[in-house]
Amino acid sequence: MKKRIILALAALSLMACTPKSTVPKQSVRELCEYMVSTYPQATLQDLYKTCYQDFFGAEHLVHDTAVARSYLHYELEGLGNERVKELRSEGVKELGMPMHEPTGFRHRFERINLALVLSGEMSEQELLQLFIDAAGNDNALHSHWADEWAEIEAIALQVQPAWRNDELQALLHKAAAANQAVHHSESFRNTYKPHYRIIRL
């Protein structure tokens, strides 16, 4: 009897220390389906990126506002040299991605395509300020990103088995354990040419 009580208490203690599921499975499934249909060349790495952005916001990107301003200007200049004539003459509104796209499955933040600035619908300074505002220190939902990513990954691989890649999965688990961001995958960058900034919704 005493042994059973001890085992029961140990089990309760373990349950108390284990974070509860924080992932709404249907929302994650819908995000994965969106990724597969919108970005056929995306990988698990790109799913990680949007979910990470949704979880942490832009905090990891803005350590110095002067650097953020300089890099945004540099990126816009490069894009402008290549695409501004096309945008003006043909009315092209997108640079490989939607003009507005919510992050992750909670949609706490939004990706703003730099084409909005190139087309004159938003000023460079307006976008910069919104980007900086999305980098507050209180953005993270909680301290269990690695646990959340493990749940997301399990659902994602059910939706899209082709995303299974042992080497990449190991790298993403390592990044999640350290709360680290990742870049878009090479296939995503080459196909969709992502140029955006994260703002708070």
Side-chain angles (χ1 to χ4, degrees), residues 38-42 46 49 71 75-76 78-80 82-83 86-87 92-99 101 111-116 118 183-197:
T38 307
Y39 304 114
Q41 298 305 313
D46 303 296
K49 186 172 183 70
Y71 190 73
E75 191 172 355
L76 284 165
L79 288 173
E82 296 174 11
R83 297 294 300 276
E86 182 182 355
L87 284 164
V92 176
K93 292 293 184 181
E94 298 181 6
L95 294 173
M97 294 178 66
M99 296 292 272
E101 183 177 65
R111 292 168 166 177
I112 296 294
N113 195 315
L114 297 194
L116 276 172
L118 291 179
H183 295 295
H184 277 295
S185 66
E186 185 177 356
S187 59
F188 192 100
R189 292 195 305 271
N190 290 340
T191 305
Y192 308 111
K193 300 181 176 14
H195 295 283
Y196 61 82
R197 289 298 183 275

Side-chain angles (χ1 to χ4, degrees), residues 33-184:
E33 291 169 351
Y34 168 81
M35 291 284 290
V36 170
S37 63
T38 307
Y39 304 114
Q41 298 305 313
T43 71
L44 197 63
Q45 183 170 329
D46 303 296
L47 179 69
Y48 179 104
K49 186 172 183 70
T50 188
C51 291
Y52 182 95
Q53 290 169 336
D54 202 36
F55 193 96
F56 289 102
E59 184 177 349
H60 67 291
L61 297 171
V62 186
H63 300 295
D64 185 321
T65 56
V67 171
R69 177 181 290 104
S70 177
Y71 190 73
L72 174 60
H73 186 73
Y74 168 81
E75 191 172 355
L76 284 165
E77 276 196 328
L79 288 173
N81 291 337
E82 296 174 11
R83 297 294 300 276
V84 73
K85 290 181 181 178
E86 182 182 355
L87 284 164
R88 288 175 177 168
S89 65
E90 300 179 19
V92 176
K93 292 293 184 181
E94 298 181 6
L95 294 173
M97 294 178 66
M99 296 292 272
H100 301 268
E101 183 177 65
T103 56
F105 54 87
R106 291 190 179 92
H107 303 167
R108 300 175 66 226
F109 297 88
E110 188 171 25
R111 292 168 166 177
I112 296 294
N113 195 315
L114 297 194
L116 276 172
V117 176
L118 291 179
S119 64
E121 295 178 53
M122 176 182 285
S123 73
E124 181 176 336
Q125 182 56 39
E126 284 173 331
L127 180 56
L128 176 67
Q129 191 57 56
L130 288 169
F131 176 54
I132 291 171
D133 291 345
N137 292 324
D138 59 344
N139 285 333
L141 284 173
H142 49 69
S143 59
H144 302 296
W145 166 240
D147 298 308
E148 178 151 314
W149 171 246
E151 292 185 59
I152 294 168
E153 180 193 66
I155 297 167
L157 295 178
Q158 292 174 2
V159 174
Q160 177 56 295
W163 280 346
R164 189 174 298 281
N165 180 316
D166 291 343
E167 184 178 355
L168 176 59
Q169 287 173 244
L171 289 173
L172 294 177
H173 288 171
K174 185 176 180 181
N179 288 342
Q180 289 180 341
V182 299
H183 295 295
H184 277 295

